């Protein structure tokens, strides 16, 4: 039977089970058959799904399915309305050394900082440079895409947290927390209830 885990990946942890530095193995004693669905950079935090469900892995990573994933980005400066509109409409970034225009997204400047656990280590405070939070919902996941997008409109990302995939979120999670979830609930939250179930 397939196993499913929702993880709040901490800053500084690499998205693999072995290698130099802190890995996912330091967070929990995962079954040896499971693997991360996609990646989060070492310097990014937040939602990570870990499973041995090959169908789910294919569905979430195949661009043609376009599932929504929402990121909270603390950026340097306060983005203008024009910058937010550009993020939503799509911007040019470099992907594998080539120019790429990102797909339409949902972007908004948050009025208040989101409720998140503190990052360890914290973001370096700069008294003379304000910062703000942007919520960005994408249907694609290019390498370091959010960081490249905010930089492209002139507001570099300081802290990046993947908050959700469809209706699966890390709300209420502690940094490094791991929760196991059953297939029915996970598929429902991902909007996959109409798809075939995986073999067990």
């Amino acid at each position: 039977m397939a196993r499913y885990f929702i993880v709040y990946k901490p800053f500084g942890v690499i998205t693999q089970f072995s290698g130099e530095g802190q890995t996912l193995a330091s967070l929990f004693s995962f079954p040896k058959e499971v693997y991360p669905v996609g990646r989060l950079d070492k310097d990014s935090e937040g939602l990570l799904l870990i499973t041995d469900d090959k169908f789910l892995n294919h569905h979430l990573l195949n661009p043609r399915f376009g599932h929504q994933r929402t990121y909270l980005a603390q950026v340097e400066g306060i983005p203008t309305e024009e910058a937010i509109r550009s993020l939503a409409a799509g911007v040019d970034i470099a992907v594998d050394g080539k120019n790429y225009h990102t797909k339409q997204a949902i972007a908004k400047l948050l009025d208040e900082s989101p409720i998140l656990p503190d990052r360890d280590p914290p973001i370096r405070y700069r008294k003379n440079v304000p910062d703000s939070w942007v919520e960005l919902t994408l249907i694609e996941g290019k390498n370091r895409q959010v960081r490249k997008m905010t930089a492209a409109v002139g507001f570099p990302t300081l802290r990046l947290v993947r908050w959700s995939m469809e209706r699966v979120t890390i709300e209420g999670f502690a940094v490094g927390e791991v929760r196991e979830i059953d297939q029915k609930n996970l598929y429902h939250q991902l909007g996959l209830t109409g798809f075939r179930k995986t073999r067990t």
Side-chain angles (χ1 to χ4, degrees):
M1 179 177 288
R3 305 277 300 273
Y4 306 88
F5 300 89
I6 300 173
V7 180
Y8 188 136
K9 187 194 85 68
F11 176 86
V13 172
I14 58 175
T15 310
Q16 56 194 53
F17 291 109
S18 61
E20 296 183 2
Q22 193 175 8
T23 69
L24 295 173
S26 67
L27 303 179
F28 188 78
S29 181
F30 291 100
K32 66 180 193 309
E33 298 85 4
V34 300
Y35 49 84
V37 178
R39 302 185 67 82
L40 266 182
D41 297 325
K42 181 179 179 181
D43 52 357
S44 298
E45 310 161 59
L47 177 63
L48 188 66
L49 292 179
I50 294 179
T51 184
D52 52 354
D53 183 338
K54 293 180 180 178
F55 166 75
L56 182 62
N57 183 72
H58 169 74
H59 186 88
L60 292 180
L61 297 185
N62 191 316
R64 75 185 181 93
F65 294 114
H67 73 282
Q68 289 190 338
R69 59 205 84 175
T70 297
Y71 297 83
L72 301 174
Q74 184 180 16
V75 299
E76 188 176 284
I78 302 175
T80 60
E81 290 184 9
E82 181 182 5
I84 296 296
R85 284 196 299 268
S86 294
L87 290 172
V91 295
D92 291 331
I93 62 173
V95 176
D96 296 328
K98 299 178 181 178
N99 186 66
Y100 176 78
H101 191 77
T102 61
K103 294 181 179 179
Q104 286 189 343
I106 301 171
K108 60 182 178 181
L109 179 65
L110 299 181
D111 294 330
E112 298 179 349
S113 299
I115 299 174
L116 291 168
D118 291 335
R119 201 191 81 170
D120 183 19
I123 296 296
R124 184 165 63 93
Y125 176 69
R126 297 172 66 184
K127 185 172 65 173
N128 298 321
V129 181
D131 60 67
S132 54
W133 285 87
V134 173
E135 182 180 287
L136 197 57
T137 300
L138 310 179
I139 56 168
E140 57 182 343
K142 303 298 183 183
N143 184 40
R144 300 181 73 82
Q145 180 170 340
V146 172
R147 294 179 185 279
K148 291 176 181 178
M149 288 176 70
T150 66
V153 296
F155 300 90
T157 292
L158 303 172
R159 182 183 180 189
L160 182 61
V161 180
R162 182 157 62 194
W163 176 252
S164 66
M165 293 181 186
E166 295 293 343
R167 288 185 291 149
V168 180
T169 81
I170 51 167
E171 184 174 7
F173 276 63
V175 175
E177 184 174 350
V178 178
R179 298 182 190 177
E180 188 164 8
I181 185 172
D182 64 84
Q183 184 188 74
K184 182 179 179 181
N185 282 335
L186 181 62
Y187 272 45
H188 178 70
Q189 292 177 44
L190 290 171
L192 297 178
T193 49
F195 287 78
R196 68 167 178 82
K197 291 291 188 289
T198 57
R199 295 174 183 170
T200 57

